[in-house]
Amino acid sequence: MTAPILEVRGLATHFFTRAGIVKAVDGVDLAVARGRVLGLVGESGSGKSVTGFSLIGLVDAPGRIVAGSIRLDGRELVGLPPAALRALRGRRIAMVFQDPMMTLNPVLRVGTQMAMALDAHAHLPRAARRIRCRDALGRVGIPSPDERLAAYPHQLSGGMRQRVAIAMALLNEPDMVIADEPTTALDVSIQGQIVHEMQRLVADTGIALLWITHDLAVVSALADDIAVMYAGRIVERGPARDVLAEPRHPYTRGLLDSVPGEVPPGGRLPQIPGSTPALRELPPGCAFRGRCGRASAACTTMPELPAGERSVRCHHPL
Amino acid sequence: MLGFLINRLLQAAAVMAAMTVIVFVGVHAIGNPIDVLIPPDATQQIRADVIARYGLDRPLVEQYLAFVGNLVRGDFGRSFVFNVPVAELILSRLPATAELTLLAVLGASLLGIPLGIYAGYRPRSPVSRAIMGASILGFSVPTFWIGLILILTFAVELRWLPAGGRGPTAVLLGVPWSFTSGEGLAHLLLPALNLSLFKLALLIRLARAGTREAMLSDYVRFARAQGLSELTVIRGHVLKNIAIPIVTVFGLELGSTLAFAVVTETIFSWPGVGKLIIDSIRDLDRPVMVAYLVLVTFLFVVINLVVDLVYGALDPRLRPGAAG
């Protein structure tokens, strides 16, 4: 593996609410290399989105990064002054959000919004700016990009809007893109197109892609590596093929079993009992032990996630 | 677009026609102007003559039709009290009210919208809390009381500004205005401030609510994720999104202040239309009342039409004929 463009060590993002400290992200290690796709998988509330927002320095109050290091191309991002972070956002590290209906400003033309994204980092003459925006739209597979520049978001379909959002994220040619469930709100057929488009873009441009999702089907089609997140921690990671074929953490196993397909039609789908624990009152030890069939007395201490490409945080791995 | 305009103009005509009926009947119901117009010791002959001259002996329907007929020809009738054409009377008072209102509403907007945006952008800061606290005063303290306090403070105690009246006027484009001279402006300042306080509070609250909502939206987050500066986010993304309720209230306030700045005009002896309409109601000066209220209706119709057109300019989804 080549040197990673993004390297996260021990990242912890906590929310200081009145009811107590919510440890949404609690010691996450990640690494993504250029031209690679890392799938960050987990249920709602596992902290995967907060991890994404932490990486671009956009954690909403009352949350903040309390520990850890985020290195982008060797440069430490944690503790960087806001202005320096702003200069990096969009330019070196960009993000695409879940709901394309909400991420574009409804009252501004696509071209206007793209021009603002360009202006945030470079001052180009009008004509050059227009060409950059048009090419960016063309690159993500938008037909007749010239017309789309003059369109308002409500005149575009959901899939088209998400393509516009992706084009905007790629506009300043970042090294790293974080995609936070970008296909969740779309039709399955459109999902497939977007996933395919992203694969092509990663191959063409060599960007590093962190794909945050709860959808294992999408990840299996796209990711080179997978990190499974549970209750603010990575519980298993490794090459996508290995993790999907031979999951070692009971939670990963449960997630995979919950995907329809293996079960005959009409059969009962296996499910993980219970739900994600409240992050405010996590008991010590493995956060999954309350839902785990293999839990033992040993699980009251937190298992470590060994270093290495393929590892699992479990006292009783499969 | 043309269809939309025609539709709106027809609506406007219907509203104004309905308004003339309501006002005409309503004013007829509240009293007989003859009792005010003629001294109690006048002979029966004089009474009958006056009644016939003003057409007050004919049935109400006939009086109404005659009034509408004149209106269509641009004749609003003559004031019973001043015995001059009503149109002339109202137009002579309108500039005073217009400049007072515009100064108040524009001043409130230019100050209130930025303050509200700031309060919405930093809802927890002490400055924002102070702004919001002050805006509650603007809502709850009655206008007449603030007016009196303003006069007491700035005119009586400090002697910085005149207590009332319009001051000297200068003719610009055939209309006398106060705002063109320093002294006229000094006369304008206190009543305009008095009128603007409520609007200021209203606009601060509207701008704050809109900004708070917009700052939490995904498009603001996405804009930040692209590295836009906070100022660009507010100017480029937030401002246009919060503009619709602000424009609505701006239009309504502009219209209602133009029409009914009565309290402030009375306190500051400002010779505007607000005072005219109150006097005409007291004197049962029917032509003035009817013409004035028809004019006010027209004003509101025009303002609303403009507001609707501005909506379309601000939000493409609201344009006439826009899909979805």
Side-chain angles (χ1 to χ4, degrees):
Chain A
M1 200 165 153
T2 52
I5 181 85
L6 178 81
E7 205 168 9
V8 180
R9 290 248 171 276
L11 177 69
T13 303
H14 296 178
F15 288 78
F16 298 86
T17 67
R18 256 175 222 183
I21 299 172
V22 178
K23 298 177 176 174
V25 178
D26 203 17
V28 162
D29 299 340
L30 295 171
V32 197
R34 282 183 204 275
R36 305 276 289 181
V37 181
L38 171 65
L40 184 59
V41 184
E43 285 172 287
S44 314
S46 60
K48 55 195 195 305
S49 288
V50 176
T51 304
F53 285 119
S54 301
L55 297 184
I56 57 166
L58 283 182
V59 180
D60 286 330
R64 62 186 154 85
I65 297 175
V66 292
S69 131
I70 300 166
R71 283 180 177 275
L72 182 71
D73 206 6
R75 184 174 177 193
E76 179 60 55
L77 301 191
V78 176
L80 224 50
L85 259 179
R86 184 199 71 71
L88 288 176
R89 275 201 296 267
R91 177 68 197 85
R92 304 294 308 274
I93 183 165
M95 191 157 175
V96 181
F97 295 170
Q98 178 172 346
D99 192 345
M101 304 294 168
M102 315 290 282
T103 48
L104 299 179
N105 190 332
V107 301
L108 297 177
R109 290 177 199 277
V110 166
T112 312
Q113 302 190 44
M114 295 187 81
M116 281 201 278
L118 262 184
D119 285 347
H121 301 287
H123 288 284
L124 293 173
R126 245 182 122 76
R129 211 163 55 181
R130 195 180 161 79
I131 290 170
R132 276 279 285 275
C133 294
R134 196 188 57 200
D135 291 351
L137 289 183
R139 236 190 351 254
V140 294
I142 290 180
S144 47
D146 266 318
E147 286 164 40
R148 298 291 177 266
L149 282 178
Y152 286 97
H154 73 276
Q155 294 165 328
L156 306 175
S157 67
M160 210 51 101
R161 278 185 233 191
Q162 196 59 291
R163 282 170 199 260
V164 170
I166 293 168
M168 286 173 79
L170 297 175
L171 201 53
N172 289 297
E173 292 162 359
D175 306 306
M176 168 90 214
V177 172
I178 301 159
D180 186 7
E181 308 222 24
T183 59
T184 306
L186 303 175
D187 290 347
V188 179
S189 59
I190 308 292
Q191 273 187 22
Q193 291 174 14
I194 299 267
V195 167
H196 176 77
E197 211 72 69
M198 290 307 287
Q199 258 174 333
R200 197 176 52 75
L201 286 165
V202 169
D204 288 357
T205 60
I207 54 167
L209 179 62
L210 176 66
W211 190 279
I212 300 172
T213 185
H214 65 267
D215 189 341
L216 283 165
V218 169
V219 157
S220 64
L222 179 69
D224 301 304
D225 300 286
I226 288 183
V228 181
M229 207 165 165
Y230 188 79
R233 287 193 165 89
I234 304 287
V235 294
E236 180 166 8
R237 67 166 171 237
R241 215 174 324 105
D242 299 353
V243 173
L244 293 171
E246 285 171 48
R248 301 198 56 214
H249 197 284
Y251 175 64
T252 316
R253 174 83 263 167
L255 276 184
L256 281 167
D257 286 345
S258 309
V259 177
E262 309 273 307
V263 180
R268 198 175 165 80
L269 208 56
Q271 52 180 337
I272 306 174
S275 58
T276 40
L279 293 169
R280 214 179 326 119
E281 48 223 30
L282 272 186
C286 174
F288 189 61
R289 71 174 197 267
R291 304 168 74 184
C292 182
R294 305 169 68 85
S296 72
C299 299
T300 51
T301 60
M302 175 61 76
E304 289 304 310
L305 183 69
E309 230 179 274
R310 176 86 178 99
S311 53
V312 59
R313 187 195 286 277
C314 186
H315 291 303
H316 310 291
L318 298 160
Chain B
M1 188 66 197
L2 190 64
F4 168 77
L5 273 180
I6 291 171
N7 196 4
R8 286 303 300 262
L9 288 175
L10 286 177
Q11 274 179 28
V15 168
M16 287 173 67
M19 187 66 194
T20 58
V21 175
I22 293 168
V23 172
F24 213 83
V25 173
V27 169
H28 181 80
I30 58 173
N32 190 343
I34 289 304
D35 300 335
V36 183
L37 290 175
I38 303 170
D41 55 352
T43 63
Q44 200 56 38
Q45 184 56 40
I46 294 175
R47 251 184 104 79
D49 281 353
V50 172
I51 289 173
R53 178 142 49 88
Y54 287 115
L56 296 172
D57 52 346
R58 287 183 287 162
L60 190 63
V61 176
E62 253 179 63
Q63 290 185 41
Y64 175 71
L65 290 178
F67 167 76
V68 172
N70 289 337
L71 200 60
V72 172
R73 287 198 303 275
D75 177 8
F76 283 89
R78 293 178 84 83
S79 161
F80 290 163
V81 176
F82 299 97
N83 200 24
V84 293
V86 169
E88 215 171 272
L89 190 62
I90 293 178
L91 283 180
S92 74
R93 300 284 199 104
L94 204 54
T97 297
E99 63 181 346
L100 181 61
T101 302
L102 281 176
L103 189 66
V105 176
L106 288 178
S109 307
L110 291 179
L111 195 63
I113 294 170
L115 285 179
I117 290 178
Y118 180 82
Y121 180 70
R122 293 221 179 288
R124 270 172 264 277
S125 88
V127 177
S128 302
R129 285 174 202 269
I131 292 172
M132 298 320 289
S135 82
I136 291 176
L137 286 183
F139 268 121
S140 46
V141 182
T143 308
F144 77 87
W145 188 80
I146 294 181
L148 293 176
I149 295 299
L150 285 176
I151 291 176
L152 266 178
T153 313
F154 293 101
V156 179
E157 289 294 328
L158 297 171
R159 297 182 176 277
W160 287 353
L161 294 165
R166 200 179 171 200
T169 57
V171 174
L172 182 72
L173 303 172
V175 183
W177 301 103
S178 298
F179 73 89
T180 45
S181 70
E183 205 185 333
L185 211 55
H187 278 87
L188 252 177
L189 216 54
L190 279 189
L193 181 64
N194 189 200
L195 267 183
S196 70
L197 285 178
F198 177 81
K199 300 168 216 322
L200 182 68
L202 197 60
L203 287 166
I204 285 177
R205 299 214 147 234
L206 273 174
R208 173 180 182 267
T211 306
R212 282 205 75 173
E213 197 187 318
M215 291 316 291
L216 297 175
S217 71
D218 268 6
Y219 60 80
V220 163
R221 201 176 252 247
F222 190 50
R224 284 174 165 164
Q226 287 151 14
L228 268 61
S229 68
E230 294 298 285
L231 201 63
T232 315
V233 167
I234 288 172
R235 255 197 336 230
H237 284 281
V238 174
L239 199 56
K240 216 175 164 194
N241 269 286
I242 65 169
I244 293 230
I246 290 176
V247 167
T248 311
V249 167
F250 182 92
L252 286 175
E253 283 296 314
L254 186 66
S256 63
T257 312
L258 269 176
F260 310 112
V262 182
V263 174
T264 297
E265 289 188 355
T266 308
I267 292 173
F268 290 92
S269 327
W270 191 260
V273 281
K275 237 173 143 309
L276 177 68
I277 182 69
I278 286 300
D279 291 346
S280 71
I281 289 171
R282 197 189 54 224
D283 298 338
L284 293 175
D285 196 347
R286 191 164 76 190
V288 176
M289 267 188 276
V290 176
Y292 180 73
L293 291 173
V294 168
L295 188 78
V296 167
T297 314
F298 176 72
L299 199 71
F300 268 94
V301 164
V302 169
I303 288 177
N304 278 331
L305 181 63
V306 171
V307 165
D308 277 354
L309 293 175
V310 172
Y311 281 174
L314 288 171
D315 192 334
R317 294 167 298 181
L318 299 177
R319 275 173 208 167

